[in-house]
């Protein structure tokens, strides 16, 4: 079973090969790179996609370059073939034609400024390998094929005019030369006096360096051009002759701080500077300022003018680190008469280390560094030429800065094998103290410090004060690239050489041994720790790697671009891979960005503090704090609501079938009786004898109507009631027409009343021979309901001016002499509705006067009209078939006999109704008594 | 030989009567046919009546007369009906249906006023006075008539008071939450239930008598039609 790792966020177990947690997708702790952790080989091919574009482009370019040059041996010598270092791609790319993507200064550092033609010439000798791997012994250190044209000008100026030293990039060459000298010298020392006076100028010199040199050269030349030691330096010469208004060359790749330095130097060019009097010859290709330094170092031996002791007026805008350097150099002038290019304490640490080491060893070495000048560059051969007195400040500073390397075993070889420094040159050192120590030690250019470096001599503090100054401040003023470059030198150390050096110095002074240049506690300060911890991994790797004398085999293009060989430091830069602490802190925020530049990254925008709940939310109880009384009331309310919402059981009729049967039985009986009596014309039942009071009053009124008097007949019943209404009204009208011959005027208060009235007069009373428009008049429908009746009661002629035949009604004989309602002899209301009767009574109450109203009504409306008769508002009532039968028998001699024809059926029907009602009552009573008895039994 | 109109009308009457009586077996298509025909014929007849007996003689004809004669003195009286007609017709369009409210408001207002005045003057006052005056002059009448009037009047009065008491639903709430009407009101209400029951019984008897009469009339028409067909005297 595979090894399992635990997720730092969720604690889930994941296979060791997983980089993110399978559960929470958070990066696993093991997958991240810890500070100080040794990088290990990892298969980072799957992470190839997340590499920055510029890295991928560089790798692609490197791959192409490697493939194209795979056949040549030059390709094998390419230093960029480190499978572990992603800068290998840069290295390879630097060798290509495409130099635009890499700044010149960076290319120079990494040794990528080689032209392709030179690569082919020197496939094996490559300083870049040495730089990357940090193993000096792995590479041939004495490659003589280096060409000067490849060396940057500024480094070329530092180098001796040894052929082949400038074949590689400036750093490479410089370091390689250092190694050469180390090998050649038994006592390694950093001889600053070995000024590279004859380094050929390179066409590939970075522009910004050129510009710096040009700017720096302008300053001294303007004041002391005749004393310029760098007389051979063309750019110094030009600078000295040129006015500040000379058009500067502004390289785009120049860092700002260097631009600022150059600007400072140009602003201080008005000040006289004796350091400008560099006089040693330098190749035309050599950067002027370096040439100037070299020439000056040579001239300083001969002349030592007091006025040149402060050749560089410190500018107000001079960078601090340069000021500090000048101050250190000034202080050193007082104590040290030699070491014209004394590396001050303001110089970068690695410079101090170099100088200190050389200073320490210098006492045991003979100052005859010129003997080695044929093998080593002049500028390197001049290193170490610092006397014991001069080395004192170096020892302190170097011992304080070189602790990491300073176990004697770890002492970089290139430092331990510094070339011998020339003898002390007190006079010259006083003049060029402001220059860096590694430049001060150049014996040939003791006083030839560029103006931009020596401009701060006047204001530089004393050496004693500088000793007390913390190294952090010094280092803090240094540019980052110098800081980074300082530990780089450690990778060039060769322990073997160190031991050799130690062995080669048997006569080393005990005092110096007691205070080695690189002591173990040299980096005891925090700044040194930071320096080491901030060291790139590839440099750490180079340090930790066991040194072997085996030359690394050339890196092929495939190896160089292996996708799984992502450097650890690049891997550590990946935002997705956080350390466990950060991962745990951002565990709650693992949101993956979906858009923008951070697309695809997870948890890169962590939430602020307090965003995520830090503790479990407090639980609040939902229980109400109700008293017993409140609970009781709530229960009562609940019961009330339950009672309201509870469905009430409705007892259904169990006797539905019986009702249908009963309905059929009743219907059958009525049909049979009606049919039988009608068909048989039976007269079984006698008509009523007694005359109701309302009927009697109606007959009395009817008999009181004058002869041929106008009578208003209002018809308001439905067609379904026509049989009853005609049966009730026919005897009444027959008697009236027979006796009084009234002029009848019919009016209907509903739509069908007019046609029913016409039907009544033409069929029922056909025997009386009444004719429309002569003896009767049908006014038709009176619209408007109560309003119509009210209107008719007030203005009859205006409400219905025409009859049903559309003739002027009020001009016809039936209505002659009638203009108002009270002019009628009587009002006979034939209706089956109590409402209709009430309306006519009400609306004509105050209009009709003494005109009597006789109501011939249906049996169903009579009970409702009876009160109006009792109140005197209605003169008489003829109610239904019962009233018609009485009239027919009592007052009309049995004519027309309609009531009689219906009477038997009506009597039987009423009898059946009585029977059924009574029988139904009895049945209901019996059922009720049974239910009550049953309920009593249940209760008992 | 022409078919007498009475035979046709009798036959149709017979047919539709049977269709209506088919409701005894429940709702059926025959019954529905008779109902639909009745509704349709009644609506058509009502529309014809309204046009020929209302609109034409009371609106169109006077307007035409005014236009023909040129006598516009009474035109204002016709303008109001026309305006009301226009407003009512605006109900066709939902956008202008609000205009009909003017006419409807006028009709409802006038109808309510007429009804209220008619009820007060034609029903309430006369009925109250009739109840009060029932005993008027009875004391001067002979004893037997006095007893009759007193009994009749007493029953009417009792029936009136108790019936009104029955519809009095006011009651007080007891401490236990239950409600009960005043005892005297409760007694009168109980008596009023008797009078109300008798009244409803009488009304039901009248309805039954009317329905029975109609039924008899219809059956008699059938018998007469059959006898006519059969030639039975």
């Amino acid at each position: 079973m595979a090894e399992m790792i635990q997720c730092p966020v969720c604690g889930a177990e994941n296979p060791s090969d997983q980089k993110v947690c399978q559960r929470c997708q958070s990066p696993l702790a093991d997958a991240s790179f810890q500070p100080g952790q040794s990088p290990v080989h990892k298969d980072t091919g799957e992470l190839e996609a997340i590499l920055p574009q510029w890295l991928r482009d560089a790798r692609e370019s490197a791959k192409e370059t490697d493939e194209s040059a795979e056949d040549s041996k030059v390709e094998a010598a390419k230093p960029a073939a480190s499978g572990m270092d992603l800068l290998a791609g840069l290295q390879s790319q630097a060798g290509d034609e495409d130099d635009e993507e890499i700044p010149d200064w960076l290319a120079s550092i990494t040794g990528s400024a080689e032209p392709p033609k030179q690569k082919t010439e020197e496939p094996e000798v490559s300083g870049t390998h040495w730089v990357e791997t940090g193993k000096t012994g792995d590479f041939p250190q004495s490659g003589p094929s280096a060409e000067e044209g490849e060396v940057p000008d500024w480094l070329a100026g530092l180098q001796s005019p040894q052929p082949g030293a400038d074949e590689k990039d400036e750093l490479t060459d410089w370091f390689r030369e250092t190694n050469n000298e180390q090998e050649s010298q038994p006592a390694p020392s950093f001889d600053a006096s070995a000024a590279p006076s004859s380094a050929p100028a390179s066409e590939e010199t970075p522009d910004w360096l050129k510009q710096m040199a040009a700017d720096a050269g302008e300053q001294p030349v303007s004041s002391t051009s005749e004393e310029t030691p760098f007389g051979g330096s063309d750019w110094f010469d030009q600078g000295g002759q040129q006015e500040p208004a000379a058009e500067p060359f502004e390289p785009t790749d120049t860092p700002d701080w260097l631009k600022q330095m150059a600007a400072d130097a140009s602003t201080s060019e008005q000040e006289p500077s004796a350091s400008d009097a560099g006089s040693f010859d330098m190749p035309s290709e050599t950067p002027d300022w370096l040439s100037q330094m070299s020439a000056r170092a040579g001239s300083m031996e001969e002349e030592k003018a007091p006025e040149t002791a402060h050749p560089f007026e410190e500018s107000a805008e001079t960078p601090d680190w340069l000021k500090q350097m000048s101050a250190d150099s000034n202080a050193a002038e007082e104590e040290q008469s030699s070491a014209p290019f004394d590396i001050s304490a303001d110089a970068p640490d690695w410079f101090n280390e170099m100088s200190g080491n050389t200073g320490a060893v210098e006492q045991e070495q003979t100052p005859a560094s010129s003997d080695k000048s044929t093998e080593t560059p002049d500028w390197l051969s001049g290193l170490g030429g610092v006397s014991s007195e001069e080395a004192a400040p170096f020892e302190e500073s170097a011992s304080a800065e070189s602790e990491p390397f300073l176990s004697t075993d770890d002492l970089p070889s290139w430092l331990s094998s510094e070339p011998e420094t020339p003898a002390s040159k007190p006079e010259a050192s006083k003049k060029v103290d402001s220059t860096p120590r590694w430049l001060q030690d150049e014996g040939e250019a003791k006083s030839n410090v560029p103006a931009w470096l020596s401009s701060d001599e006047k204001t530089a503090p004393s050496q004693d004060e500088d000793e007390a100054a913390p190294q952090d401040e010094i280092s803090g003023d240094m540019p980052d690239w110098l800081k980074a470059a300082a530990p780089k030198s450690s990778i060039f150390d060769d322990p073997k050489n160190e031991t050799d050096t130690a062995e080669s110095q048997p006569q080393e002074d005990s005092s110096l041994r007691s205070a080695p240049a690189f002591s173990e506690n040299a980096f005891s300060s925090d700044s040194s720790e930071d320096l080491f911890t901030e060291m790139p991994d590839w440099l750490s790797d180079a340090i930790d790697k066991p040194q072997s004398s085996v030359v690394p085999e050339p890196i092929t293009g495939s190896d160089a671009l292996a996708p799984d060989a992502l450097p650890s430091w690049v891997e550590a830069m990946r935002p997705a891979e956080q350390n466990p602490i950060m991962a745990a802190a951002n565990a709650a925020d693992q949101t993956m960005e979906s858009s923008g530049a951070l697309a695809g990254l997870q948890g890169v925008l962590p939430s602020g503090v307090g965003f995520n709940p830090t503790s479990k939310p407090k639980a609040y109880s939902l229980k109400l704090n109700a008293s017993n009384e409140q609970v009781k009331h709530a229960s009562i309310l609940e019961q009330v609501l339950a009672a309201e919402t509870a469905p009430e059981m409705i007892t259904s009729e169990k006797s539905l079938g019986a009702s249908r049967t009963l309905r059929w039985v009743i219907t059958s009986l009525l049909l049979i009786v009606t049919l039988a009596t009608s068909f048989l014309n039976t007269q079984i039942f006698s008509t009523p004898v007694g005359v109701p009071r309302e009927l009697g009053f109606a007959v009395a009124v009817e008999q009181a109507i004058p002869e041929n008097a106008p009578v208003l007949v209002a018809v308001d019943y439905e067609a379904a009631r026509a049989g009853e209404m005609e049966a009730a009204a026919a005897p009444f009208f027959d008697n009236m027409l027979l006796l009084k011959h009234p002029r009848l005027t019919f009016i209907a208060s509903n739509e069908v009343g007019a046609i029913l009235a016409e039907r009544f007069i033409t069929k029922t009373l056909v025997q009386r021979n009444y004719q429309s428009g002569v003896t009767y008049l049908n006014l038709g429908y009176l619209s408007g309901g109560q309003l119509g009746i009210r209107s008719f009661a007030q203005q009859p002629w205006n409400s219905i001016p025409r009859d049903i035949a559309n003739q002027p009604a009020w001009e016809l004989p039936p209505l002659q002499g009638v203009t108002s309602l009270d002019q009628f002899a009587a009002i006979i209301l034939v209706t089956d509705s109590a409402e209709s009767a009430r309306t006519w009574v009400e609306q004509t109450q105050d209009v009709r006067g003494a005109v009597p109203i006789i109501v011939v009504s249906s049996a169903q409306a009579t009970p409702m009209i009876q009160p109006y008769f009792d109140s005197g508002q209605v003169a008489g009532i003829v109610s239904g078939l019962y009233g018609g039968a009485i009239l027919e028998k009592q007052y009309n001699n049995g004519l027309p006999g309609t009531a009689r024809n219906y009477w038997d059926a009506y009597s039987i029907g009423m009898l059946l109704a009585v029977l059924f009602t009574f029988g139904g009552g009895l049945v209901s009573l019996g059922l009720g008594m049974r239910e009550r008895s049953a309920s009593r039994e249940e209760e008992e | 030989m022409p078919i007498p109109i009475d035979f046709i009308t009798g036959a149709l009457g017979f047919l539709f009567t049977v269709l209506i009586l088919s409701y005894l077996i429940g709702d059926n298509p025959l019954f529905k046919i008779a109902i639909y025909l009745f509704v349709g014929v009644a609506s058509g007849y009502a529309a014809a009546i309204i046009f020929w007996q209302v609109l034409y003689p009371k609106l169109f004809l006077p307007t035409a007369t005014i236009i023909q004669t040129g006598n516009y003195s009474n035109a204002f009286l016709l303008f109001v009906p026309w305006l009301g007609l226009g407003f009512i017709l605006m109900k066709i369009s939902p956008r202008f249906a609000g205009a009909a409210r003017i006419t409807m408001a006028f009709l409802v207002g006038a109808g309510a006023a007429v009804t209220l005045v008619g009820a007060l003057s034609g029903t309430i006052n006369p009925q109250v006075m009739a109840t009060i005056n029932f005993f008027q002059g009875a004391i001067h009448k002979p004893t037997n008539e006095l007893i009759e009037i007193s009994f009749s009047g007493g029953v009417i009065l009792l029936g009136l008071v108790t019936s009104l008491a029955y519809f009095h639903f006011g009651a007080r709430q007891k401490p236990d939450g239950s409600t009960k009407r005043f005892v005297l009101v409760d007694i009168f209400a109980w008596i009023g239930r008797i009078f109300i029951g008798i009244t409803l019984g009488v009304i039901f008897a009248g309805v039954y008598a009317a329905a029975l009469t109609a039924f008899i009339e219809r059956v008699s028409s059938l018998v007469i039609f059959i006898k006519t067909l059969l030639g039975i005297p």
Side-chain angles (χ1 to χ4, degrees), chain A residues 660 663-664 667 670-671 674-675 677-681 719-727 750-756 759 763 779-783 786-787 790 798-804 806 838 841-843 845-846 858-861 863-864 867-873 881 901-914 917, chain B residues 6 9 21-26 38 42 45-47 49-50 52-54 56-58 61-62 65 77 106-131 134 156 199 202-224 226-227 230 232-233:
Chain A
R660 179 173 294 181
R663 185 173 59 187
W664 276 103
T667 303
L670 291 177
L671 278 175
T674 306
L675 288 174
T677 56
S678 299
F679 189 80
L680 297 177
N681 289 325
R721 306 291 181 185
E724 181 189 12
M725 299 307 298
E726 291 175 355
N750 61 1
E751 291 82 358
V752 296
I755 194 67
L756 291 177
R759 177 179 181 270
K763 288 189 174 181
L779 296 177
Y781 169 61
L782 178 63
S783 61
Q786 294 187 20
L787 294 175
R790 181 66 181 179
N798 192 21
S799 297
I800 302 180
R802 297 177 179 272
D803 63 353
I804 193 171
N806 200 20
R838 181 178 63 81
V841 171
E842 289 177 352
Q843 298 302 327
Q845 178 72 28
D846 55 349
S858 169
Q860 63 182 1
M864 307 300 292
Y868 291 98
F869 170 76
D870 295 334
S871 64
Q873 294 175 281
L881 185 62
N901 295 333
Y902 299 162
W903 188 251
D904 284 355
Y906 179 82
S907 298
I908 297 173
M910 294 300 295
L911 182 59
L912 290 175
V914 171
T917 304
Chain B
D6 295 337
T9 57
L21 292 178
S22 66
Y23 189 73
L24 290 172
I25 60 176
F38 174 76
Y45 176 76
I49 290 296
I50 290 172
W52 289 110
Q53 297 187 13
V54 178
Y56 178 76
K58 297 181 180 178
L61 187 60
T65 303
L77 297 177
F106 174 77
L107 294 177
V108 172
V114 171
T115 301
L116 181 61
V117 173
L120 287 175
S121 61
T123 300
I124 295 176
N125 289 336
Q127 293 297 319
V128 171
M129 296 303 297
T131 304
F134 189 81
I156 293 173
T199 305
V202 172
I203 294 173
F204 175 75
V207 172
Y208 175 78
L212 179 61
T213 304
F215 176 74
I216 293 170
E217 189 272 335
R218 280 295 86 196
V219 173
S220 297
S221 65
L222 294 177
V223 171
I224 294 172
I226 294 173
K227 284 183 177 182
L230 297 177
I232 299 173

Side-chain angles (χ1 to χ4, degrees), chain B:
Chain B
M1 177 181 179
I3 300 175
I5 187 68
D6 295 337
F7 179 79
I8 297 174
T9 57
L12 292 175
F14 177 81
L15 176 62
F16 285 106
T17 301
V18 173
L19 295 179
I20 295 297
L21 292 178
S22 66
Y23 189 73
L24 290 172
I25 60 176
D27 194 4
N28 58 87
L30 298 178
F31 175 77
K32 290 183 178 178
I33 290 173
I35 293 298
Y36 294 159
L37 286 174
F38 174 76
V39 172
V41 170
S43 299
Y45 176 76
I49 290 296
I50 290 172
F51 178 80
W52 289 110
Q53 297 187 13
V54 178
L55 295 178
Y56 178 76
K58 297 181 180 178
L59 185 64
F60 298 150
L61 187 60
T63 303
T65 303
I66 291 174
I67 294 173
Q68 291 176 356
T69 58
N71 184 10
Y72 296 97
S73 60
N74 295 329
F76 179 75
L77 297 177
L78 288 176
F79 175 74
V80 176
W82 276 109
L83 184 62
L85 176 63
F87 287 160
I88 293 295
L89 291 177
M90 286 182 181
K91 276 192 171 184
I92 298 174
S93 174
R95 184 177 180 181
F96 303 102
R101 297 174 184 172
I102 300 174
T103 306
M104 296 304 297
F106 174 77
L107 294 177
V108 172
V114 171
T115 301
L116 181 61
V117 173
L120 287 175
S121 61
T123 300
I124 295 176
N125 289 336
Q127 293 297 319
V128 171
M129 296 303 297
T131 304
I132 294 173
N133 297 331
F134 189 81
F135 299 98
Q136 184 180 4
I139 191 171
H140 303 289
K141 291 184 177 178
T143 305
N144 56 349
E145 291 184 1
L146 179 63
I147 294 174
E148 181 182 359
I149 293 173
S150 299
F151 179 78
S152 299
V155 172
I156 293 173
L157 182 62
L158 180 62
L160 176 64
V161 173
T162 57
S163 297
L164 293 176
Y166 176 81
F167 292 100
H168 178 73
F169 299 105
R172 290 184 178 181
Q173 186 175 9
K174 292 184 177 180
D176 59 352
S178 62
T179 56
K180 189 176 182 180
R181 292 188 294 189
F182 185 58
V183 177
L184 185 59
V185 175
D186 203 7
I187 293 173
F188 284 171
W190 186 84
I191 298 172
R193 292 172 60 185
I194 297 174
F195 282 97
I196 292 172
I198 293 172
T199 305
L200 293 178
V202 172
I203 294 173
F204 175 75
V207 172
Y208 175 78
L212 179 61
T213 304
F215 176 74
I216 293 170
E217 189 272 335
R218 280 295 86 196
V219 173
S220 297
S221 65
L222 294 177
V223 171
I224 294 172
F225 179 75
I226 294 173
K227 284 183 177 182
T228 306
L229 288 178
L230 297 177
I232 299 173

